[in-house]
Amino acid sequence: MNRRLDRLSRDLGLPPAPPPFPADAEEVCRGVRAALTAHERERKLYMRQKLRFAAVLAAVLIALCGTALAVGSNWDVLHAWFEGDTSPADSLVDREVRSVSDKNYTFTVDSSVSDGQTAFLLIRVDALSEAGKARLFAPDFEGIDTFSIYPLVEEPETGDLVHPSSSSTGMREMKEVRTETSRTWRVDVSLPKTEKAVAIHARLGYMDKGLSVEVPLAPAEAIEVAIGATGRGYPNLHNTYGSSATLERAVVSPFTLALDISWPEDQDDPPILPVVFRMTDGTLRSFCQLTDGISRGGGWSGSVRRSTFTYNFREVQDLKTLSGIVVWGKEYPLDGGAPRDVEVDEHLLPFMISLMPGLSDDNPNSMSVRELCDGLGASCVWDNAAKTATLTYRDSTVVLTWGSKTALVDGEAVELRNAPDARDGKLCYDGSIHDLWNLYTLAPFNEDRTDRIGFLVIP
């Protein structure tokens, strides 16, 4: 988790100062008022929480009931990980509650779901004693040995279940369901690519030895699309100008998108690829309209670098409504049909904008409001008398006022971390509406990694 957070922090701004816009879920939930903390972004967003009734309802129910919603039938691993309507995948969820107890704790896996690429779990720790409660809520409860959660594969010769050579796990506490005696986390486990994971091993390190839970996996159906297309990508964190790359294959499930990518060995990172989605209604959706934009994966050296990069969908996908993957102007149908040429609106693709001076001492960079809107194809109307900029993108309107930390998001007041201000003759802001608009932004380094070259915005 910390490695993913560190990478995200580097992507978003100039270390060691905080990034120029929020990426942390806990921070955003506080109204984008604090600096980036040591907790991962992923990410029930503050502004989206203010606008979506379900999240508010969850908080109200917790206050009234004083119990974790994770044990209820209306809140499970899908609600913890995905936005919107999760009903298309309800039948795929393993809702069997598995738990172990000792004198201090009960450790529970409330529900789980997987797709062959990733396993998602909802885990809970209940304190059964005063000593257990004190440790559970201690600042240092979460450490390197607190949880042991990893996939299990079947050893061919013996049939034993063993830990594969490589896997990674990320987790974030769901503070909205914390009670006086329990804490709940959402967990994602990357599954091995060359071996079939049959279960997840989960253990709380503070419990008596030998106490653990094994969760069997029944992966959701996924669709594999052979692509084999080569083209030039956009700059990535350590890929300054965007090298060529080959998108070899895509695997689509209701929960994730996995891309097999190869790229030149002289580049540490693959370039950002211009991937968009064709829906069955004929419309095209940008990459971050459907995914969270955060990749899990890595490469290795050789004549080329090659790896699988996995992205979570923002909402559970009904694969009957998704018809194709589009890259470099060609559509690859999910039904195995022949590729075909397609025109893509440039506003659906990544674009670079200028790196502007920061708005405060702890805000090293900002970005031009006008440049952002031009790249997105969004409306930007400046009212000189009121000193306001009204930005409209898709179904959301944001009103920024020069010199004021208070913005209006679809008519509701939201506090920004920094007040929009003029830099180099342009109205600039700290990027705090990016999460609302489902944008992912990173600031690539120059070739010698001493400076940033600008902001890459992925719609």
Side-chain angles (χ1 to χ4, degrees), residues 24 31 115 123 156 166 182 194 280 297 304 349 353 410-411 444:
D24 176 76
D115 64 359
I123 67 172
S166 63
S182 74
T194 59
T280 53
V304 295
L349 301 176
I353 60 175
D410 295 332

Side-chain angles (χ1 to χ4, degrees), residues 275-295:
V275 173
V276 298
F277 302 93
R278 172 75 74 182
M279 312 307 290
T280 53
D281 64 5
T283 61
L284 293 176
R285 302 287 181 88
S286 68
F287 192 73
C288 285
Q289 274 186 283
L290 295 194
T291 79
D292 62 11
I294 306 296
S295 66

Side-chain angles (χ1 to χ4, degrees), residues 8 28 37 58 80 82 89 92 100 119 144 153 171 173 177 180 236 239 277-278 292 340:
L8 178 59
V28 182
T37 69
F82 301 97
L92 303 174
V100 290
I144 191 171
V153 300
M171 60 193 305
E173 185 187 358
V177 295
E180 292 183 356
N236 205 335
N239 190 331
F277 302 93
R278 172 75 74 182
D292 62 11
R340 52 182 175 266

Side-chain angles (χ1 to χ4, degrees), residues 37-199:
T37 69
H39 217 289
E40 204 254 319
R41 111 300 148 237
E42 306 186 345
R43 135 184 170 195
K44 294 295 178 183
L45 308 169
Y46 163 72
M47 287 179 282
R48 190 172 286 111
Q49 283 178 330
K50 291 176 72 69
L51 298 173
R52 295 180 183 236
F53 174 76
V56 177
L57 176 60
V60 172
L61 288 174
I62 294 164
L64 293 176
C65 300
T67 186
L69 293 181
V71 300
S73 61
N74 295 322
W75 200 85
D76 60 13
V77 65
L78 294 180
H79 294 85
W81 274 102
F82 301 97
E83 303 164 7
D85 179 17
T86 62
S87 61
D90 281 350
S91 62
L92 303 174
V93 177
D94 181 347
R95 291 187 172 83
E96 180 177 339
V97 177
R98 298 174 173 86
S99 63
V100 290
S101 299
D102 63 11
K103 65 180 180 180
N104 290 315
Y105 305 101
T106 294
F107 175 70
T108 303
V109 177
D110 279 307
S111 54
S112 63
V113 72
S114 70
D115 64 359
Q117 304 287 331
T118 305
F120 301 94
L121 296 87
L122 193 64
I123 67 172
R124 190 179 73 253
V125 178
D126 292 272
L128 304 180
S129 67
E130 288 302 316
K133 180 179 178 181
R135 167 52 62 185
L136 178 61
F137 292 99
D140 62 349
F141 177 79
E142 292 185 67
I144 191 171
D145 297 321
T146 302
F147 297 102
S148 177
I149 303 175
Y150 52 80
L152 296 172
V153 300
E154 191 172 283
E155 212 283 325
E157 295 183 0
T158 66
D160 295 337
L161 296 184
V162 296
H163 185 185
S165 58
S166 63
S167 65
S168 62
T169 300
M171 60 193 305
R172 181 178 73 82
E173 185 187 358
M174 306 297 292
K175 290 191 175 182
E176 58 267 39
V177 295
R178 182 187 286 195
T179 75
E180 292 183 356
T181 58
S182 74
R183 296 174 66 180
T184 299
W185 288 262
R186 68 179 198 179
V187 180
D188 67 312
V189 183
S190 295
L191 303 180
K193 309 306 178 188
T194 59
E195 303 169 281
K196 181 182 178 181
V198 297

Side-chain angles (χ1 to χ4, degrees), residues 35 50 57 71 126 165 173 211 242 262 347 356 362-363 367 425:
K50 291 176 72 69
L57 176 60
V71 300
D126 292 272
S165 58
E173 185 187 358
L211 294 178
S262 59
H347 297 122
M356 305 299 290
D362 65 349
N363 178 239
M367 59 188 65

Side-chain angles (χ1 to χ4, degrees), residues 385-406:
K387 303 298 182 186
T388 60
T390 300
L391 321 178
T392 303
Y393 181 56
R394 294 177 177 149
D395 59 352
S396 178
T397 297
V398 176
V399 179
L400 301 175
T401 301
W402 187 358
S404 173
K405 289 186 177 182
T406 301

